[in-house]
Amino acid sequence: MICEICKKNPATIHIQEIVDNQKKSMHICAECAEKKSAPQLLFDGNFNLAEVLYNITEHMGLPGFELGASSKKNEETETQEQAKATCMKCGWTLSQLRKTGRLGCSQCYKSFRDVLDDAFDTMHRGKLHVGKKPGGKIDESSTVMLEIMNMKKELEELVQREEYEKAAVVRDKINALTKGEKKVTNSKQHKGIRKSGKSKKK
Amino acid sequence: MAKAKRNNIEALVNHSVNWLDDSGPDADIAISSRIRLARNIANMPFPIAASEHDKTQVAAAVENAIEKSGSLGDDFFAYDIEQLSEIDRQILLERRLVSREFIASRGGEVLVVKNDESRGVMINEEDHLRLQVLSPGLQLEVVWKIINELDNQLSSSLPYSFDEQLGFLTSCPTNVGTGLRASVMLHLPALRLSGQINAAIQGISKLGLAVRGIFGEGSDNLGNLFQISNQSTMGETEEQIIFRLSKVIRQVINHEKNARASLMENKRYFLLDHIGRAYGTLRRAYILSSAEALESLSALRTGVDLGMFSSVDLRQVNELFKIIHSAHLQRFAGKELNQEERDIFRAKIVRDMLSGKNDE
């Protein structure tokens, strides 16, 4: 989430209030919070939880999400895209997602994948769940998968910065982990293998 | 199979509250530790897009699962929010059992809670289930153990909405993955008195954690109460999230301890005067607004922590923190009160509760 005031720093302070059954929220960074240290100032104006999501989609530059420009053409594209962006399962629309910041059903995660995918980067520490599963089972291989995903991101950045030597090291690590990962999946029935640890030492 | 007592607020109010106990670890600064888990039932639209019928079905299934699991013990309560009066809804909010969104009620909301209020489930809030466990002091690891077990018990009879890659699917994408929000309520008077609180909040938020006031409302940091919680819910295990949060909170507690020690050493009379005046207000005022009450109680709590009062203890102060809120006051008075009447009645209750105690 990005700060609603400076639109630069990650928003880490969340303010909510309910007026006439309407929920108002504001998400700002610590610096802006300090600037506005008089508390009543923080609650001025109309703030919407969904604005954050809205802003993210606005800045993504995806076709149909470019609301920034004031031309009518853009508005038309927006409406057309919106008509398409509807969850087949529950009928939830992209504009409802923007308005409320909420999804209508589990299937919405697939229906609005493009919008959400970018938002996840700002909200979370990776796009992969590594915690418990229903019933309490924990799959160790998912931790390794997360590590690989993060390293791939790092590799891309290094290549972009043309730091090829460092990139080669990361690539080797990824390869080692990927092999280990396969082994984990193949030999899941044999317990007590700690591939990720082994390959990390390298 | 134990059945819940239904819509009986009196039973709840007459029971003692587990998290108001002063026995928790670091109880002088950390008031309570809370974890909540967001869960949804597979193949059912989330509450925001669900019909009345869907929500009724969800509530029945969840209540049935709770009863079957026995996870809330033999004595627990259920509240249909729509059936409750405005004041009774506020009582639930003031006791931190529900969110504001929940009691604004769009229909179908049910709260199920154990008699000591240490664990419960909000049904049909933003998600079908919001499991919640609350304990006194700083003990997130213990709270996690309890809520993890509760979650496992319920999942044995409820098919959760779960995706291999994204984890537990939630109505708001900020909760997806673990669905876990852990928070600790801290009382940080010395950091504020010494002007360090903004720097501390800034530092905490740079670490990707969120800082909120006690009810997340406008009267935010009144009473110097701050809630620190995790922001992201995906990409880390539950244990990692809790470990990271606990580590930061321990540091904040240390900062507060140092700030208290330094005030006692360098600004002793400033601090004693601040506490003494607040105590005077609480003992002698005839009109007490909730803001003034919260601020004064914060100072009293600081005095108790510093050993200034031999016969007021943390439990009493915590109890006062709870009872001065408007719905509890009106419940206590047995009738509706307007704001002026509330301020007068609040002053009387506080005077009564503190009278006969140590005057020094």
Side-chain angles (χ1 to χ4, degrees), chain A residues 34-102:
Chain A
E34 202 184 19
K35 275 183 213 151
K36 290 197 159 229
S37 55
Q40 62 273 32
L41 275 179
L42 294 172
F43 305 105
D44 279 343
N46 286 309
F47 301 107
N48 189 335
L49 179 75
E51 253 172 60
V52 183
L53 256 180
Y54 187 92
N55 288 341
I56 290 168
T57 55
E58 194 180 19
H59 295 308
M60 279 188 340
L62 289 178
F65 296 119
E66 293 153 10
L67 286 174
S70 56
S71 82
K72 273 181 193 160
K73 205 176 171 190
N74 267 346
E75 277 169 34
E76 277 163 31
T77 333
E78 155 77 7
T79 333
Q80 280 170 15
E81 278 306 310
Q82 233 169 39
K84 268 185 250 165
T86 298
C87 176
M88 297 294 278
K89 181 105 183 259
C90 69
W92 203 246
T93 64
L94 181 62
S95 63
Q96 279 176 305
L97 166 60
R98 284 178 163 176
K99 216 162 102 191
T100 62
R102 309 278 191 278

Side-chain angles (χ1 to χ4, degrees), chain B residues 74-131:
Chain B
D74 292 332
D75 193 10
F76 60 101
F77 312 129
Y79 298 97
D80 304 291
I81 301 303
E82 286 164 288
Q83 313 276 324
L84 301 182
S85 70
E86 194 50 46
I87 287 187
D88 285 351
R89 292 181 195 193
Q90 285 290 332
I91 292 261
L92 298 179
L93 180 73
E94 288 173 6
R95 294 174 92 84
R96 304 173 65 216
L97 292 169
V98 295
S99 62
R100 278 180 185 278
E101 200 178 336
F102 192 67
I103 54 167
S105 185
R106 286 186 307 262
E109 292 87 354
V110 180
L111 168 75
V112 186
V113 63
K114 188 170 154 51
N115 58 3
D116 67 357
E117 299 173 45
S118 63
R119 57 187 89 171
V121 183
M122 273 190 277
I123 308 172
N124 289 323
E125 204 240 23
E126 184 181 296
D127 296 295
H128 294 145
L129 293 93
R130 284 284 174 95
L131 284 60

Side-chain angles (χ1 to χ4, degrees), chain B residues 200-221:
Chain B
I201 290 177
Q202 246 180 313
I204 296 163
S205 31
K206 279 201 179 116
L207 297 166
L209 302 172
V211 186
R212 291 177 173 87
I214 170 168
F215 297 115
E217 72 190 296
S219 62
D220 248 10
N221 307 324

Side-chain angles (χ1 to χ4, degrees), chain B residues 13 91 94 279 281-290 293 297 300 312 316-335 337 340-357:
Chain B
V13 175
I91 292 261
E94 288 173 6
Y279 186 57
T281 301
L282 294 169
R283 285 297 308 273
R284 296 285 181 251
Y286 281 81
I287 297 174
L288 200 54
S289 72
S290 87
L297 282 174
L300 176 64
V312 184
Q316 277 173 299
V317 182
N318 284 346
E319 195 63 38
L320 279 167
F321 261 112
K322 187 185 74 192
I323 203 157
I324 55 157
H325 292 291
S326 69
H328 274 84
L329 275 183
Q330 296 178 72
R331 177 104 212 160
F332 206 75
K335 57 179 178 188
L337 303 171
E340 204 185 329
E341 293 166 336
R342 283 206 296 271
D343 290 352
I344 292 169
F345 190 63
R346 182 180 292 115
K348 179 181 164 14
I349 284 202
V350 173
R351 278 200 319 272
D352 286 354
M353 277 184 80
L354 288 174
S355 69
K357 310 291 178 210

Side-chain angles (χ1 to χ4, degrees), chain A residues 164-179:
Chain A
Y164 298 117
E165 272 177 38
K166 282 184 193 166
V169 177
V170 175
R171 183 202 57 208
D172 291 346
K173 275 188 193 166
I174 294 175
N175 286 341
L177 274 181
T178 317
K179 264 184 214 161

